[in-house]
Amino acid sequence: MTAHPWVRPYVLTGGRTRGRQHLFVHTLVSGNGYDAAFAARLLPEARALYDRVHSVDESVAELSAHCGVSLGVTRVLLSDLASGGRVVIGSEISPYDPRILERVIDGLRELA
C-alpha cells in the first residue's frame, strides 16, 4: 500500500514531521480492539498500518517495511493512532540503555 509517488509525506501527516510521542525503530506496537468502521475512514497508508498491527505485534521499523510507508510517516501515523487509543505502544527502551550496549558488546565478542 505504498503512496502514489507524487504524494509527498507531509500530505499524509498534515505537515507534521513528528508525532506526539517519540517512537524508536525497535518500539513494539500492538492492536487495541479492531474497529472496521474506524479503519474504513483512514487514509490507505494509515489503514495499512492499523490493519497490520491488529494481525501481529511488530516494531515500528517492521510495520514501515511491511506496509511500504516511510519510517517518518509511520512514526507520525502510529503516534496518532496511539493517541486515539487505537494501538498500544510498547515500553520504550533507549538504544543507549547500558544493558543493551553490554549485550551488543557480548555478542560481538562471541563473533570474534
Side-chain angles (χ1 to χ4, degrees), residues 23-29 49 58-71 74-75 78:
L23 301 177
F24 294 109
V25 293
H26 60 275
T27 301
L28 290 178
V29 183
L49 293 166
E58 287 186 316
S59 70
V60 172
E62 290 170 316
L63 287 165
S64 173
H66 285 287
C67 295
V69 179
S70 73
L71 187 57
T74 296
R75 284 177 168 157
L78 288 175

Side-chain angles (χ1 to χ4, degrees), residues 11-33:
V11 172
L12 300 173
T13 63
R16 293 170 296 134
T17 58
R18 295 174 194 220
R20 292 178 179 94
Q21 53 188 306
H22 180 73
L23 301 177
F24 294 109
V25 293
H26 60 275
T27 301
L28 290 178
V29 183
S30 58
N32 187 21

Side-chain angles (χ1 to χ4, degrees), residues 94-109:
S94 167
Y96 306 108
D97 184 328
R99 294 169 295 181
I100 291 176
L101 294 175
E102 288 172 9
R103 288 176 50 200
V104 169
I105 290 169
D106 291 343
L108 290 172
R109 283 187 182 138

